[in-house]
Amino acid sequence: MAIATAMLEANGLRFAVDTAGQGDTVALLLHGFPEARQSWHRQIPFLAELGWRVAAPDLRGYGGTSRPAGKAAYSIEHLTDDVAALFAALGGKRNILIGHDWGGVIAWQVALRGKVKLDGLVILNAPHPDAFARELRRGWTQRRRSWYFAFFQLPWLPEWLLTRNGGAPLVKMFRSHSEHILREQIEIYRRNIVQPGAATAMLNYYRANFSGLAGGAGSNPMIAVPTLMIWGKNDLALDLRLTEGNEQFVEDFTLRTLPAASHWVQQDAPDEVNATIAEWARRKGLA
């Protein structure tokens, strides 16, 4: 099934969105850092074949989407409002939210804040905030892996390191983490991050939300939405223990770990990710 690209107005911004499929069930796919909507290109046609209308936007500040200025524009409040506005613009009767990495962080918060009536939630390699807080308290394992959170708070140096030599460090990072991400996708990510202001916009996700990424742990409500977590076990940034105990936070929780996949799970193991989502969706009456 062919993928079409459109511009969608939502929450005062213009979003570049890749779409496929028809139907009353909208699946909104949120990418991570430092990727783009194209990270879902192996999922979009497959999920459309399930009968869903699939939409994968560039998040605010990324790719072809509006890039508001200032750190405050990237607070989690604005990011979750974007999701609510995108679902409203897409107008589905049932809403399924799928997020990886930062897209997963946003997806957890959408579910916790109740800004959208969700019928299904799929999280790929992104921890529930209470699980993240727990592992940070437990010891140095996750703290060491999260060193870059603090590094990204520095002015200008992270931007310089990510964009020097035309974005060569970004290319090296992806290639060192995974052999399976397509070169044409990495080229899109490289080209995006060297656009004027793009690296700062991407880093502002960390800067605007640094103190709140694991804040309020233990005070979050139980999530009632059926939730599937897919986790690439070879994740260099996130410890596998983050997948443990999520039944405390989600009433209807399903976990699937993929032993050979890295953090970039939907690109590393697209067939396994697709099959897992399809099987879960059928069990939950969503496909």
Side-chain angles (χ1 to χ4, degrees):
M1 184 175 292
I3 298 172
T5 301
M7 297 303 296
L8 194 62
E9 300 275 353
N11 199 25
L13 304 178
R14 284 174 55 81
F15 288 84
V17 184
D18 284 351
T19 64
Q22 302 292 327
D24 292 332
T25 298
V26 169
L28 186 63
L29 281 54
L30 309 179
H31 66 80
F33 170 89
E35 298 170 286
R37 66 186 192 273
Q38 289 87 356
S39 68
W40 299 107
H41 272 197
R42 296 288 294 276
Q43 282 71 49
I44 294 171
F46 178 88
L47 298 178
E49 292 291 345
L50 293 181
W52 296 348
R53 183 151 52 100
V54 185
D58 282 333
L59 299 181
R60 66 164 58 202
Y62 281 80
T65 291
S66 302
R67 189 171 299 124
K71 181 175 73 173
Y74 297 87
S75 71
I76 196 66
E77 192 70 26
H78 292 305
L79 302 177
T80 52
D81 283 346
D82 287 348
V83 172
L86 284 164
F87 271 124
L90 292 162
K93 292 184 178 178
R94 296 197 299 182
N95 298 318
I96 298 170
L97 184 56
I98 302 176
H100 167 249
D101 183 76
W102 254 104
V105 172
I106 298 167
W108 279 123
Q109 290 296 329
V110 169
L112 288 167
R113 292 162 185 249
K115 290 190 174 183
V116 179
K117 184 187 179 300
L118 295 176
D119 298 278
L121 179 66
V122 181
I123 302 291
L124 294 87
N125 282 70
H128 186 285
D130 286 356
F132 190 56
R134 181 195 67 211
E135 294 308 314
L136 290 177
R137 290 195 305 267
R138 182 177 284 182
W140 283 98
T141 300
Q142 185 55 52
R143 292 182 199 177
R144 282 193 297 267
R145 292 187 180 212
S146 300
W147 66 270
Y148 59 94
F149 283 42
F151 173 69
F152 286 167
Q153 305 309 306
L154 298 174
W156 71 263
L157 182 59
E159 282 92 334
W160 178 78
L161 286 175
L162 287 169
T163 61
R164 65 191 177 93
N165 298 327
L170 186 78
V171 173
K172 182 179 179 181
M173 182 273 290
F174 276 113
R175 290 180 178 166
S176 66
H177 282 210
S178 172
E179 300 176 353
H180 304 290
I181 304 176
L182 300 176
R183 287 182 177 270
E184 51 264 38
Q185 286 181 316
I186 295 175
E187 172 59 17
I188 290 168
Y189 307 153
R190 184 204 65 78
R191 196 165 60 237
N192 283 350
I193 204 167
V194 298
Q195 293 179 23
T200 295
M202 296 176 190
L203 291 164
N204 276 342
Y205 281 67
Y206 293 91
R207 292 166 176 163
N209 301 288
F210 180 64
S211 61
L213 281 173
S219 62
N220 288 308
M222 178 75 80
I223 292 174
V225 180
T227 300
L228 168 66
M229 175 180 278
I230 302 174
W231 200 275
K233 293 177 74 173
N234 293 331
D235 192 321
L236 298 180
L238 298 171
D239 192 86
L240 184 61
R241 287 188 295 187
L242 291 164
T243 65
E244 298 172 359
N246 284 281
E247 296 83 0
Q248 302 171 48
F249 316 130
V250 183
E251 291 179 9
D252 182 347
F253 181 76
T254 303
L255 172 66
R256 170 76 185 279
T257 58
L258 302 182
S262 74
H263 176 78
W264 318 100
V265 58
Q266 78 269 27
Q267 296 168 91
D268 260 357
D271 294 337
E272 293 92 332
V273 167
N274 291 351
T276 300
I277 294 174
E279 190 273 334
W280 171 81
R282 291 181 180 119
R283 281 196 295 108
K284 301 302 175 184
L286 298 170

